[in-house]
Amino acid sequence: MEPPVSLAYGIQLPVQSQSTMYAEPWEADAGPADLVEIARAADRAGFAYVAACDHVAIPRRLAEAMSTVWYDPVATLAHLAAVTTRVRLLSHVAVVGLRHPLVTAKQYATLDHLSGGRLVLGVGAGHVREEFEALGADFERRGTVLDETIDALRAALGPDEFPSHHGKTYDFEGLGQRPRPAQARVPVWVGGSSPAAVRRAALRGDGWLPQGDPRDRLPAQIERIRRLRAEAGVEEPFTVGAITEPLYVGPPSWNVGRRTLTGSPQALAESLRAYPAMGVDQIQVRFRCRSRSELIEQITAFGAEVAPHL
């Protein structure tokens, strides 16, 4: 994916994952129709992508905080691909170590084929031990396995109908998969902010999806990515991401929380321009809202009134 000329902006969709860390109360009673209308609004408003998360099963010890509402990202993004026209489809992030790379490649190649080449494959190591154990995946070695899985997916999502990969965990060749992705190279963005995750993104990814790093931590992380890529002689385009503070376009009439950025479109844009100044190519935004209609109003206002100033 070529670096954007100006600051691109995308959104993690509500409803499809409902951790108490970020879900709004109205999402508990929302469903597919709400997702469709929100994705369509983002498509119209010029958002670069809509994103969906990935968890297979949540253990009881984490269910109260994380909830058990986690839509399958492939099914969700494929559904939304059919009702949108241009917005890209991001898995943020797919825990690809839970599945054999050929299974992941089959799912996401089909999604890219069906959507006309709109997939961005975001990948991450995962953090729920019980999820790995239930699926027979190695939790302790998940970082090492993810490194190899990215390499295996590069082959399996590439142009060859019969991809090959020979590694310590996975070994395959002579097995054909069609349809092939519509894109010649599916962008792989690596999620996470640990030293290992940042290194993985720099050396194996086409982009980096930080895990909510505050602004003051981003410059050092970005500089490390640049240094690692330069030392390794990696010259391909690379997309640096960031997750913004919660936003509310305009003066709120309710308590949107002290960390939320609010104000006029010009004021918000001025604050958000700090991101490209430090080397960020795309921001993931989240809006405080009390209903689907308020969220769509915020998405629309951001696209029409804030984005032109970015």
Side-chain angles (χ1 to χ4, degrees), residues 197 225 235:
I225 288 172
E235 297 180 352

Side-chain angles (χ1 to χ4, degrees), residues 1 49 78 87 139 166 233 241-242:
M1 191 179 191
Y49 63 78
V87 70
F139 182 77
H166 304 290

Side-chain angles (χ1 to χ4, degrees), residues 234-247:
V234 182
E235 297 180 352
E236 286 82 4
F238 190 84
T239 302
V240 174
I243 300 176
T244 73
E245 304 86 347
L247 306 177

Side-chain angles (χ1 to χ4, degrees), residues 169-287:
T169 304
Y170 302 112
D171 192 295
F172 55 83
E173 68 176 328
L175 296 166
Q177 287 190 327
R178 293 179 69 185
R180 304 308 303 154
Q183 298 178 87
R185 180 183 175 94
V186 172
V188 176
W189 293 357
V190 178
S193 294
S194 69
V198 171
R199 181 178 183 82
R200 183 177 299 121
L203 300 182
R204 283 185 159 84
D206 301 301
W208 176 50
L209 294 165
Q211 197 167 14
D213 293 60
R215 295 189 189 200
D216 60 354
R217 292 186 196 168
L218 284 170
Q221 297 275 54
I222 295 168
E223 176 56 34
R224 180 165 182 253
I225 288 172
R226 289 173 174 164
R227 185 176 70 253
L228 286 167
R229 289 174 67 81
E231 290 171 354
V234 182
E235 297 180 352
E236 286 82 4
F238 190 84
T239 302
V240 174
I243 300 176
T244 73
E245 304 86 347
L247 306 177
Y248 194 90
V249 183
S253 61
W254 57 288
N255 181 10
V256 295
R258 62 181 180 84
R259 288 188 60 250
T260 302
L261 293 179
T262 67
S264 70
Q266 293 80 4
L268 287 180
E270 182 178 356
S271 177
L272 294 174
R273 283 198 295 269
Y275 285 103
M278 66 179 76
V280 171
D281 302 302
Q282 66 86 10
I283 54 173
Q284 185 171 118
V285 298
R286 180 169 70 84
F287 302 100

Side-chain angles (χ1 to χ4, degrees), residues 14-309:
V15 182
Q16 54 82 33
S17 74
Q18 295 188 29
S19 167
T20 57
M21 289 180 61
Y22 47 73
E24 300 282 7
W26 65 270
E27 296 178 48
D29 297 320
D34 302 283
L35 272 174
V36 165
E37 292 306 314
I38 293 162
R40 283 173 167 163
D43 198 28
R44 291 191 302 268
F47 279 61
Y49 63 78
V50 293
C53 302
D54 181 27
H55 277 292
V56 172
I58 306 301
R60 289 187 185 276
R61 71 179 177 88
L62 298 174
E64 184 176 353
M66 291 180 65
S67 93
T68 58
V69 179
W70 297 85
Y71 286 34
D72 178 79
V74 179
T76 303
L77 294 173
H79 181 64
L80 298 177
V83 298
T84 56
T85 58
R86 47 151 299 280
V87 70
R88 301 199 74 160
L89 310 159
L90 169 66
S91 57
H92 189 176
V93 289
V95 186
V96 292
L98 295 175
R99 308 164 183 90
H100 193 285
L102 287 177
V103 174
T104 299
K106 169 59 71 175
Q107 293 173 319
Y108 283 100
T110 303
L111 172 56
D112 195 61
H113 177 78
L114 290 171
S115 67
R118 289 194 274 149
L119 170 67
V120 180
L121 180 59
V123 302
H127 65 96
V128 180
R129 176 183 292 274
E130 293 93 331
E131 200 170 29
F132 279 74
E133 292 172 348
L135 297 174
D138 191 332
F139 182 77
E140 298 297 341
R141 293 183 59 248
R142 65 193 185 281
T144 301
V145 170
L146 176 56
D147 287 342
E148 183 183 330
T149 300
I150 293 172
D151 295 341
L153 286 171
R154 287 285 190 204
L157 291 171
D160 294 339
E161 179 182 350
F162 292 88
S164 64
H165 170 80
H166 304 290
K168 292 182 179 179
T169 304
Y170 302 112
D171 192 295
F172 55 83
E173 68 176 328
L175 296 166
Q177 287 190 327
R178 293 179 69 185
R180 304 308 303 154
Q183 298 178 87
R185 180 183 175 94
V186 172
V188 176
W189 293 357
V190 178
S193 294
S194 69
V198 171
R199 181 178 183 82
R200 183 177 299 121
L203 300 182
R204 283 185 159 84
D206 301 301
W208 176 50
L209 294 165
Q211 197 167 14
D213 293 60
R215 295 189 189 200
D216 60 354
R217 292 186 196 168
L218 284 170
Q221 297 275 54
I222 295 168
E223 176 56 34
R224 180 165 182 253
I225 288 172
R226 289 173 174 164
R227 185 176 70 253
L228 286 167
R229 289 174 67 81
E231 290 171 354
V234 182
E235 297 180 352
E236 286 82 4
F238 190 84
T239 302
V240 174
I243 300 176
T244 73
E245 304 86 347
L247 306 177
Y248 194 90
V249 183
S253 61
W254 57 288
N255 181 10
V256 295
R258 62 181 180 84
R259 288 188 60 250
T260 302
L261 293 179
T262 67
S264 70
Q266 293 80 4
L268 287 180
E270 182 178 356
S271 177
L272 294 174
R273 283 198 295 269
Y275 285 103
M278 66 179 76
V280 171
D281 302 302
Q282 66 86 10
I283 54 173
Q284 185 171 118
V285 298
R286 180 169 70 84
F287 302 100
R288 293 302 317 276
C289 56
R290 295 164 294 179
S291 65
R292 180 185 91 182
S293 60
E294 187 171 28
L295 175 55
I296 289 175
E297 289 171 0
Q298 287 286 304
I299 287 171
T300 303
F302 188 90
E305 302 171 27
V306 179
H309 300 289

